[in-house]
Amino acid sequence: MRFMMILIPRGYESAAPDALPSAEAAAKMMDYNMSLQKAGVLLALDGILPPSAGARISYSDGKVTVTDGPFAEAKEAIGGYWIIQVRSREEAIEWFRRAPMSNNDVVEVRQIFEMPEFPEDVQKARKASSTGTS
Amino acid sequence: MSDVAKTIEALWKIESTRLIAAIARVTHDIGIAEELAHDALVTALEVWPEEGIPDNPGAWLMKAAKRRAIDSLRRGRMLVQKHVEIGRELEWQQQRLGDAFEHSLDQVIDDDVLRLIFTACHPVLAVEGRIALTLRLIGGLTTAEIARAFLVPEKTLGQRISRAKKTLSEAQVPFETPSGDELRCRVESVLMVVYLIFNEGYTATSGDEWMRAALSEEGLRLGRMLGQLLPGESELHALVALMELQASRNAARRGKNGEAVLLPDQDRSLWDYAQIQRGMTALEQAQRLGGGAKPYALQAAIAACHMRARTAEETDWYRIVLLYDALLQINPSPIVALNRAVAVGMLQGPAAGLDALDAAATLAGDSELAGYHLFPSVRGDLLMKMGRLCEAREEIQRAIAMTKNLREQELLANRLKQLEKAAF
């Protein structure tokens, strides 16, 4: 089973657009990522820029609104993610218990939906709209 | 299972390989190393639910294993290293063992894990022993889980593992990474074991669904792990590519009643394109290392041709036939020839395919493979396309009689029905 581990660094919601981790923190994180890779559990990972470098697109009543970041109302923001393949939720948690996080950082563990878990009508709709089959 | 027990199980899966590998560096015997590691786990199961899980569970387990090792030594149950002179002071041995463990504890190095894998896949062992030992020592699976996956009684599997450990011990297989000429054949054995584990999960059609998925995921994980440990071995990357590309079709391989859906009929929108991308990247890595013409790389390249085609009709059969030609050169097996015949049939028409199939059958000769159901099954398909329906029917009927696999029988029976509807 696959999990997305979502990194929520403290204060990232108001970080400057060019905010970078310290060299020391980055080195620790690289070591840690290497341990995931060496165990064969890592499928993908990326760090993402702060919301101040991003934008929000919201949809309401048929209207689309684009707002540039940062977002005053946000209490937290995503700083990156890992996708890992492990055998249980517990294993995912144990891997990330040892991640080199800073004080008050949070990592959220979310299992990835596998296609066969979708109900049949959803799968049918997906099939019908797919461009791969014609 | 309680939450703590689940956590301990998860920790075991994460820590056990490095733990066993580090202990084996001291004991030079993976059987003893596994027992000590396991004893440490049992201690953890007693202590942790009461006292809580320690901050560094790996180091805790290692310390517990060290205590057990010194205890066993004191009771004279364990010979430390085979080359230790007899008659040395026990105290000295204990001290030495303690130091060695302390050292091992400080730096579990990747080489230990690699040595462990090479030892578990040692050619002195029967193939099934290598598989069981690998799953147990590197996969962190329990005997019960492995037994479930292979549909054998737990007792049989337990015996298989102890026999394998005994063989390694008796043959005095050193705990080391092979070098020079030996490395090649030892790597081949590791590749074979990993691919067999993956395939057991991927192709088996009976048994526990969950366990089978776990096996093919484990094969992939082992492959990725080895790719990191031996980054210069092109065939490891090629094997990872082959497994990723095959596994990326998983969601499309079964219809809604669990029936097998063959490649040309699969809904390609169900393929996992992120996984295909990982497979392609691994294949490029193998090719960059100069291993593009080696067996796993060729097989992965064939899989890649299929995955690149947006529809079955777009498949580049010309390239696939070329790749099979190359594969046949290095591995002249009837199975490769059979697959080549299918590709030739797609490229040049059923008559040419039939000629290629005859060549494959000649290659199979009187071997066991002559009784392989895919021979008449493919022949039946080709004959059907040529409109020789009576002969086609006979071949499909023969194929049904030759397979014991229910899903295959089902698939063939459907084809027979279509054929009869068309002809009679």
Side-chain angles (χ1 to χ4, degrees):
Chain A
M1 46 182 85
R2 291 176 300 159
F3 289 86
M4 180 179 263
M5 313 299 285
I6 302 160
L7 169 61
I8 306 168
R10 177 182 46 100
Y12 210 56
E13 66 282 358
S14 52
D18 54 356
L20 284 172
S22 72
E24 194 197 354
K28 273 189 191 159
M29 191 54 87
M30 274 165 73
D31 278 352
Y32 173 71
N33 291 339
M34 191 41 103
S35 74
L36 293 174
Q37 207 168 347
K38 278 185 180 156
V41 298
L42 183 66
L43 299 186
L45 87 168
D46 278 301
I48 56 180
L49 295 177
S52 48
R56 265 188 186 177
I57 308 164
S58 42
Y59 311 82
S60 60
D61 303 327
K63 246 184 74 185
V64 177
T65 320
V66 179
T67 322
D68 283 334
F71 317 109
E73 70 281 16
K75 291 197 181 64
E76 52 184 33
I78 295 169
Y81 70 91
W82 296 258
I83 294 178
I84 57 171
Q85 185 152 45
V86 290
R87 287 160 285 196
S88 65
R89 181 173 168 275
E90 286 75 17
E91 203 182 321
I93 292 173
E94 286 313 314
W95 269 115
F96 276 79
R97 207 191 270 279
R98 53 193 76 187
M101 295 305 166
S102 307
N103 193 29
N104 292 327
D105 284 354
V106 170
V107 169
E108 194 169 307
V109 184
R110 304 282 290 272
Q111 189 175 350
I112 293 178
F113 228 90
E114 303 291 344
M115 194 55 191
E117 290 165 9
F118 284 114
E120 203 172 300
D121 51 338
V122 177
Q123 294 210 33
K124 245 185 217 157
R126 188 176 184 273
K127 209 166 166 174
S129 68
S130 144
T131 50
T133 48
S134 49
Chain B
M1 213 191 304
S2 74
D3 284 352
V4 180
K6 272 192 202 159
T7 300
I8 295 176
E9 188 186 307
L11 279 169
W12 178 251
K13 299 230 193 276
I14 296 175
E15 299 289 350
S16 60
T17 305
R18 291 169 74 80
L19 185 63
I20 295 166
I23 302 172
R25 171 140 52 97
V26 180
T27 63
H28 280 235
D29 181 309
I30 62 173
I32 294 174
E34 201 222 353
E35 274 166 38
L36 289 171
H38 208 261
D39 286 348
L41 174 69
V42 171
T43 315
L45 281 165
E46 286 162 8
V47 176
W48 293 358
E50 297 289 322
E51 294 178 7
I53 292 166
D55 286 342
N56 189 341
W60 193 101
L61 288 167
M62 190 70 193
K63 274 192 191 127
K66 173 187 148 188
R67 272 197 301 273
R68 299 299 291 224
I70 292 175
D71 278 355
S72 328
L73 187 67
R74 208 167 281 153
R75 278 186 253 114
R77 283 202 293 124
M78 192 176 78
L79 263 178
V80 188
Q81 288 178 16
K82 293 195 177 77
H83 56 264
V84 170
E85 283 172 47
I86 298 164
R88 294 264 194 190
E89 288 293 320
L90 184 62
E91 205 174 298
W92 182 83
Q93 275 199 25
Q94 279 175 19
Q95 178 63 40
R96 193 162 175 274
L97 187 66
D99 289 349
F101 267 101
E102 220 62 72
H103 184 68
S104 228
L105 180 82
D106 286 344
Q107 37 157 215
V108 185
I109 45 174
D110 298 335
D111 283 358
D112 289 331
V113 175
L114 201 53
R115 286 186 196 111
L116 187 64
I117 295 171
F118 275 117
T119 311
C121 296
H122 198 283
V124 76
L125 301 172
V127 171
E128 53 181 23
R130 293 180 219 176
I131 292 173
L133 215 50
T134 300
L135 286 172
R136 172 93 199 209
L137 300 179
I138 298 111
L141 266 67
T142 63
T143 307
E145 285 172 326
I146 307 170
R148 239 171 87 197
F150 285 88
L151 298 172
V152 296
E154 200 177 325
K155 199 177 154 211
T156 313
L157 210 281
Q159 286 164 346
R160 197 176 288 174
I161 290 175
S162 14
R163 204 179 314 127
K165 286 184 193 161
K166 202 169 151 226
T167 308
L168 287 175
S169 183
E170 282 172 359
Q172 303 204 1
V173 168
F175 186 65
E176 63 183 24
T177 306
S179 55
D181 286 348
E182 208 199 338
L183 183 65
R184 177 170 311 173
C185 92
R186 297 286 296 278
V187 169
E188 261 170 38
S189 172
V190 171
L191 291 167
M192 177 190 73
V193 169
V194 171
Y195 195 38
L196 284 172
I197 289 172
F198 172 82
N199 260 327
E200 187 62 31
Y202 185 74
T203 56
T205 42
S206 52
D208 198 309
E209 285 281 341
W210 189 86
M211 243 359 266
R212 280 182 9 233
L215 272 190
S216 56
E217 283 182 9
E218 181 58 19
L220 262 164
R221 188 188 70 87
L222 288 170
R224 290 189 202 115
M225 193 173 147
L226 282 157
Q228 291 294 317
L229 293 172
L230 288 170
E233 285 289 332
S234 70
E235 280 288 83
L236 267 171
H237 300 287
L239 174 60
V240 170
L242 180 60
M243 294 190 293
E244 297 273 23
L245 293 173
Q246 287 181 337
S248 70
R249 300 198 290 258
N250 262 344
R253 291 170 66 230
R254 295 266 173 264
K256 62 175 185 294
N257 302 316
E259 76 280 10
V261 181
L262 297 180
L263 188 55
D265 306 320
Q266 285 173 8
D267 171 358
R268 294 177 184 226
S269 72
L270 292 176
W271 290 357
D272 180 341
Y273 286 88
Q275 190 161 29
I276 293 175
Q277 199 44 55
R278 289 202 295 276
M280 297 294 187
T281 306
L283 178 57
E284 281 160 22
Q285 176 72 2
Q287 289 164 342
R288 248 199 316 276
L289 287 165
K294 292 183 179 173
Y296 285 108
L298 289 170
Q299 291 176 71
I302 291 166
C305 280
H306 287 298
M307 310 317 285
R308 274 192 210 104
R310 283 176 62 250
T311 61
E313 293 71 31
E314 279 177 33
T315 310
D316 185 352
W317 291 109
Y318 178 73
R319 187 169 161 74
I320 291 178
V321 170
L322 285 182
L323 289 164
Y324 272 122
D325 286 343
L327 190 57
L328 204 54
Q329 289 255 316
I330 39 177
N331 178 18
S333 98
I335 301 294
V336 175
L338 173 77
N339 284 310
R340 182 182 171 277
V342 175
V344 169
M346 294 305 291
L347 181 68
Q348 300 175 343
L354 216 49
D355 286 344
L357 188 64
D358 286 335
T362 312
L363 209 53
D366 300 331
S367 72
E368 230 173 77
L369 284 169
Y372 186 45
H373 72 274
L374 277 183
F375 277 100
S377 161
V378 169
R379 190 176 295 274
D381 271 353
L382 292 168
L383 287 166
M384 194 163 112
K385 284 181 189 154
M386 293 168 82
R388 289 156 65 177
L389 300 181
C390 279
E391 292 161 88
R393 181 166 68 164
E394 271 170 38
E395 293 293 340
I396 305 273
Q397 280 167 341
R398 260 181 63 203
I400 293 177
M402 279 155 83
T403 178
K404 289 195 184 74
N405 184 317
L406 288 178
R407 294 254 191 264
E408 297 273 0
Q409 282 182 357
E410 223 172 72
L411 208 63
L412 288 163
N414 277 338
R415 199 145 354 125
L416 197 61
K417 243 185 254 160
Q418 284 172 10
L419 188 70
E420 283 174 347
K421 214 188 272 170
F424 309 101

